[in-house]
Amino acid sequence: LMGLGAELERPVIGVDVGCGPLAIYALIGAARNPHWHFICTDIDPLSLERAKTNVELNPNISSRISFKLQPNASFILRNILDPQDQTPVDFCMFNPPFFSAAEEKKGRHDTACTATPTELVHESGGEMALFSSLLQESMMPEFQERVTWFTFMFGIKRHLKAAVSILQQHNVPFVVKKSFIQGKTHRWAAGWSFQRWLSKRNTATQIPSPLPSSLPLPPPKRRKLTEGTSSKNLPRFRDIVVHCLPLATVADRIHQTISN
């Protein structure tokens, strides 16, 4: 996805499904890429209001981040992307609740998380149910033709293999996968697209078989530390301002969620 703005000669538009109270992906994406615009969604009005507050603390990028409340928890892109508006959407990213029950997370040593129960648990089938919902909506003509890339992050490794198998069973033409490791936290992601033009865009980046681990788009330039190079010289996101909930407020919300 890096470098798309200059190549497309128009703003890159992404949808962050379930942005939470920080909208951190949109903040980082917009800060790093001045041509990127985000539509942040959530089913929790309080989380959305908190996310708006965080974005407003960053006036240099706030104009490129908008918010939409999803009134129906069973929908993902429906109610968010107007079918009458055919403005291209370059990617839709979904970092969902990973577990179907609080007990499923117990004993997990590959997850370090301070999220509230509502951000971790989706009782109606967990992340695989949400993946199925996104896949079904991605195959709807109005989204299949409008959105270039759909991506979904998994908290359970075996679900990635199952998801890739399901995508192949549906004859999705482009499927990619990726793993992320940050300290003790492991995550896995799948991406898919129905855009046939991807196979013609660059012969050097066509998707071969077996599945590659990165999207067929120009990779970002990476900087490696060498002798005499300080980590202080590497890019930092020092200009991003994020306002977090006080610990007492977080505790109150967790207690209220458990009580309900």
Side-chain angles (χ1 to χ4, degrees):
L1 292 173
M2 305 302 295
L4 261 184
E7 182 173 321
L8 297 176
E9 297 184 347
R10 63 165 175 78
V12 172
I13 300 177
V15 178
D16 180 7
V17 179
C19 65
L22 295 181
I24 192 63
Y25 291 124
L27 283 169
I28 292 177
R32 186 171 182 179
N33 304 279
H35 47 275
W36 283 24
H37 293 239
F38 281 85
I39 302 171
C40 296
T41 79
D42 209 287
I43 60 173
D44 182 356
L46 183 58
S47 287
L48 212 59
E49 286 302 316
R50 179 64 62 175
K52 289 180 181 178
T53 300
N54 277 325
V55 169
E56 289 169 358
L57 294 173
N58 299 271
N60 56 320
I61 57 178
S62 59
S63 64
R64 292 186 281 116
I65 302 175
S66 60
F67 296 87
K68 287 190 177 183
L69 177 67
Q70 173 57 270
N72 189 330
S74 298
F75 293 168
I76 297 177
L77 292 177
R78 286 184 284 179
N79 294 331
I80 301 300
L81 297 181
D82 184 352
Q84 303 301 319
D85 180 5
Q86 288 304 304
T87 301
V89 174
D90 298 288
F91 63 93
C92 167
M93 55 183 292
F94 194 1
N95 179 11
F98 299 123
F99 308 104
S100 58
E103 289 74 17
E104 190 176 4
K105 182 183 182 298
K106 292 180 179 179
R108 291 292 303 276
H109 300 293
D110 58 357
T111 297
C113 186
T114 56
T116 64
T118 53
E119 293 175 294
L120 278 177
V121 177
H122 177 68
E123 294 182 350
S124 301
E127 63 184 12
M128 283 306 293
L130 291 169
F131 164 76
S132 296
S133 296
L134 180 58
L135 174 58
Q136 290 172 11
E137 289 195 16
S138 74
M139 292 189 294
M140 298 172 66
E142 61 264 39
F143 300 136
Q144 183 179 128
E145 298 173 4
R146 183 178 176 187
V147 181
T148 301
W149 282 106
F150 301 88
T151 67
F152 191 97
M153 185 178 290
F154 295 92
I156 301 175
K157 186 177 182 179
R158 67 177 183 274
H159 289 167
L160 174 63
K161 183 177 181 179
V164 169
S165 177
I166 293 171
L167 289 166
Q168 292 174 326
Q169 290 172 20
H170 283 84
N171 297 315
V172 178
F174 299 103
V175 181
V176 295
K177 59 183 179 179
K178 183 73 175 177
S179 61
F180 305 93
I181 301 176
Q182 181 67 40
K184 64 180 291 187
T185 299
H186 293 202
R187 294 287 183 261
W188 302 267
W192 63 97
S193 179
F194 300 92
Q195 305 294 325
R196 297 286 181 179
W197 59 265
L198 289 172
S199 63
K200 299 179 181 179
R201 102 177 254 290
N202 191 329
T203 55
T205 55
Q206 289 184 20
I207 301 181
S209 181
L211 299 175
S213 61
S214 58
L215 302 181
L217 294 168
K221 294 181 179 180
R222 301 181 182 274
R223 295 182 61 187
K224 296 182 179 180
L225 286 177
T226 57
E227 185 177 353
T229 301
S230 169
S231 60
K232 294 181 180 179
N233 296 328
L234 295 179
R236 302 286 183 89
F237 299 108
R238 295 172 179 168
D239 295 333
I240 295 179
V241 180
V242 176
H243 178 72
C244 298
L245 287 170
L247 185 59
T249 304
V250 174
D252 289 342
R253 288 187 62 185
I254 294 174
H255 178 72
Q256 182 180 5
T257 302
I258 295 174
S259 299
N260 292 338

